[in-house]
Short mmCIF file of all heavy atoms in Angstrom, two decimals:
data_model
loop_
_atom_site.label_atom_id
_atom_site.label_comp_id
_atom_site.label_asym_id
_atom_site.label_seq_id
_atom_site.Cartn_x
_atom_site.Cartn_y
_atom_site.Cartn_z
N ALA A 139 -4.36 10.41 -3.21
CA ALA A 139 -3.80 10.71 -1.85
C ALA A 139 -4.99 11.03 -0.92
O ALA A 139 -5.11 10.57 0.20
CB ALA A 139 -2.87 11.89 -1.92
N ALA A 140 -6.00 11.79 -1.42
CA ALA A 140 -7.18 12.11 -0.61
C ALA A 140 -7.99 10.82 -0.33
O ALA A 140 -8.56 10.72 0.81
CB ALA A 140 -7.98 13.19 -1.24
N LYS A 141 -8.10 9.93 -1.30
CA LYS A 141 -8.92 8.79 -1.11
C LYS A 141 -8.30 7.76 -0.24
O LYS A 141 -8.96 7.15 0.54
CB LYS A 141 -9.14 8.15 -2.56
CG LYS A 141 -10.12 7.02 -2.54
CD LYS A 141 -10.45 6.61 -4.01
CE LYS A 141 -11.39 5.47 -4.03
NZ LYS A 141 -11.70 5.03 -5.41
N TYR A 142 -7.00 7.56 -0.34
CA TYR A 142 -6.30 6.52 0.36
C TYR A 142 -5.26 7.00 1.41
O TYR A 142 -4.84 6.19 2.21
CB TYR A 142 -5.55 5.55 -0.64
CG TYR A 142 -6.38 5.04 -1.66
CD1 TYR A 142 -6.30 5.45 -3.02
CD2 TYR A 142 -7.32 4.04 -1.42
CE1 TYR A 142 -7.08 4.92 -3.99
CE2 TYR A 142 -8.13 3.51 -2.43
CZ TYR A 142 -8.02 3.94 -3.71
OH TYR A 142 -8.85 3.38 -4.64
N GLY A 143 -5.01 8.21 1.45
CA GLY A 143 -3.94 8.67 2.32
C GLY A 143 -4.30 8.95 3.79
O GLY A 143 -3.51 9.54 4.53
N ARG A 144 -5.55 8.83 4.10
CA ARG A 144 -5.99 9.00 5.51
C ARG A 144 -5.71 10.41 6.04
O ARG A 144 -5.37 10.63 7.21
CB ARG A 144 -5.39 7.97 6.39
CG ARG A 144 -5.71 6.53 6.05
CD ARG A 144 -5.06 5.54 6.99
NE ARG A 144 -5.28 4.17 6.47
CZ ARG A 144 -4.48 3.19 6.76
NH1 ARG A 144 -3.34 3.38 7.56
NH2 ARG A 144 -4.75 2.00 6.25
N GLY A 145 -5.89 11.36 5.12
CA GLY A 145 -5.78 12.80 5.48
C GLY A 145 -4.33 13.30 5.67
O GLY A 145 -4.05 14.40 6.11
N ALA A 146 -3.36 12.40 5.34
CA ALA A 146 -1.98 12.85 5.47
C ALA A 146 -1.61 14.03 4.48
O ALA A 146 -2.18 14.03 3.35
CB ALA A 146 -1.05 11.62 5.18
N PRO A 147 -0.71 14.87 4.83
CA PRO A 147 -0.37 15.94 3.94
C PRO A 147 0.28 15.43 2.64
O PRO A 147 0.89 14.42 2.58
CB PRO A 147 0.56 16.84 4.76
CG PRO A 147 0.96 16.01 5.89
CD PRO A 147 0.00 14.86 6.04
N ALA A 148 0.26 16.34 1.64
CA ALA A 148 0.95 16.02 0.39
C ALA A 148 1.76 17.29 -0.09
O ALA A 148 1.43 18.41 0.27
CB ALA A 148 -0.07 15.66 -0.72
N ARG A 149 2.75 16.96 -0.96
CA ARG A 149 3.49 18.06 -1.48
C ARG A 149 3.58 17.89 -3.01
O ARG A 149 3.72 16.77 -3.47
CB ARG A 149 5.00 17.99 -0.93
CG ARG A 149 5.06 18.29 0.51
CD ARG A 149 6.28 17.76 1.17
NE ARG A 149 6.58 16.31 0.99
CZ ARG A 149 5.90 15.43 1.65
NH1 ARG A 149 4.94 15.66 2.48
NH2 ARG A 149 6.22 14.14 1.48
N VAL A 150 3.45 19.02 -3.68
CA VAL A 150 3.57 19.04 -5.17
C VAL A 150 4.74 19.94 -5.55
O VAL A 150 4.88 20.97 -5.03
CB VAL A 150 2.34 19.62 -5.83
CG1 VAL A 150 2.43 19.71 -7.32
CG2 VAL A 150 1.07 18.77 -5.42
N THR A 151 5.67 19.24 -6.32
CA THR A 151 6.82 20.08 -6.81
C THR A 151 6.74 20.04 -8.30
O THR A 151 6.60 18.96 -9.00
CB THR A 151 8.11 19.41 -6.31
OG1 THR A 151 8.12 19.28 -4.93
CG2 THR A 151 9.32 20.26 -6.81
N LEU A 152 6.95 21.27 -8.93
CA LEU A 152 7.03 21.45 -10.46
C LEU A 152 8.36 22.17 -10.63
O LEU A 152 8.51 23.29 -10.13
CB LEU A 152 5.84 22.30 -10.87
CG LEU A 152 4.45 21.67 -10.64
CD1 LEU A 152 3.48 22.79 -10.84
CD2 LEU A 152 4.24 20.57 -11.47
N MET A 153 9.23 21.66 -11.56
CA MET A 153 10.44 22.33 -11.93
C MET A 153 10.76 21.94 -13.27
O MET A 153 10.52 20.78 -13.77
CB MET A 153 11.46 22.19 -10.85
CG MET A 153 11.99 20.78 -10.71
SD MET A 153 13.20 20.62 -9.47
CE MET A 153 13.20 18.92 -9.22
N GLU A 154 11.60 22.80 -13.91
CA GLU A 154 12.03 22.49 -15.26
C GLU A 154 13.63 22.16 -15.01
O GLU A 154 14.31 22.85 -14.34
CB GLU A 154 11.94 23.63 -16.18
CG GLU A 154 12.29 23.28 -17.64
CD GLU A 154 12.10 24.42 -18.59
OE1 GLU A 154 11.38 25.37 -18.21
OE2 GLU A 154 12.55 24.33 -19.74
N GLU A 155 14.01 21.02 -15.67
CA GLU A 155 15.37 20.54 -15.50
C GLU A 155 15.77 19.91 -16.81
O GLU A 155 15.17 18.90 -17.25
CB GLU A 155 15.43 19.59 -14.30
CG GLU A 155 16.84 19.16 -13.97
CD GLU A 155 16.76 18.20 -12.71
OE1 GLU A 155 16.75 18.79 -11.66
OE2 GLU A 155 16.72 17.01 -12.93
N ALA A 156 16.86 20.43 -17.44
CA ALA A 156 17.41 19.85 -18.63
C ALA A 156 16.30 19.59 -19.69
O ALA A 156 16.30 18.54 -20.25
CB ALA A 156 18.14 18.54 -18.31
N GLY A 157 15.50 20.62 -19.95
CA GLY A 157 14.53 20.46 -21.03
C GLY A 157 13.31 19.59 -20.69
O GLY A 157 12.64 19.22 -21.56
N ARG A 158 13.13 19.27 -19.41
CA ARG A 158 12.00 18.40 -19.01
C ARG A 158 11.30 19.03 -17.87
O ARG A 158 11.93 19.65 -16.92
CB ARG A 158 12.56 17.04 -18.58
CG ARG A 158 13.18 16.29 -19.75
CD ARG A 158 13.70 14.97 -19.31
NE ARG A 158 12.78 13.90 -19.22
CZ ARG A 158 12.14 13.32 -20.25
NH1 ARG A 158 12.38 13.61 -21.44
NH2 ARG A 158 11.33 12.38 -20.03
N LEU A 159 10.00 18.94 -17.85
CA LEU A 159 9.21 19.33 -16.63
C LEU A 159 9.14 18.20 -15.75
O LEU A 159 8.73 17.10 -16.15
CB LEU A 159 7.77 19.73 -17.06
CG LEU A 159 6.84 20.11 -15.95
CD1 LEU A 159 7.33 21.26 -15.17
CD2 LEU A 159 5.37 20.31 -16.52
N ILE A 160 9.58 18.46 -14.53
CA ILE A 160 9.48 17.35 -13.48
C ILE A 160 8.26 17.72 -12.62
O ILE A 160 8.14 18.85 -12.16
CB ILE A 160 10.80 17.46 -12.60
CG1 ILE A 160 12.13 17.39 -13.43
CG2 ILE A 160 10.77 16.30 -11.52
CD1 ILE A 160 12.26 16.14 -14.25
N VAL A 161 7.49 16.71 -12.44
CA VAL A 161 6.22 16.88 -11.65
C VAL A 161 6.35 15.80 -10.63
O VAL A 161 6.46 14.66 -10.93
CB VAL A 161 4.89 16.69 -12.50
CG1 VAL A 161 3.75 16.72 -11.57
CG2 VAL A 161 4.90 17.63 -13.68
N GLU A 162 6.30 16.11 -9.39
CA GLU A 162 6.36 15.13 -8.27
C GLU A 162 5.25 15.45 -7.26
O GLU A 162 5.14 16.62 -6.79
CB GLU A 162 7.74 15.17 -7.64
CG GLU A 162 7.97 13.82 -6.92
CD GLU A 162 9.44 13.61 -6.75
OE1 GLU A 162 10.06 12.97 -7.63
OE2 GLU A 162 9.95 13.96 -5.73
N VAL A 163 4.48 14.43 -6.89
CA VAL A 163 3.47 14.59 -5.85
C VAL A 163 3.78 13.47 -4.81
O VAL A 163 3.84 12.35 -5.15
CB VAL A 163 2.05 14.28 -6.39
CG1 VAL A 163 0.99 14.49 -5.25
CG2 VAL A 163 1.81 15.32 -7.53
#
Side-chain angles (χ1 to χ4, degrees):
K141 186 173 181 180
Y142 302 110
R144 301 181 187 153
R149 291 160 306 285
V150 177
T151 305
L152 302 165
M153 66 182 162
E154 189 176 347
E155 186 177 277
R158 297 178 78 74
L159 173 62
I160 309 299
V161 179
E162 199 158 274
V163 181

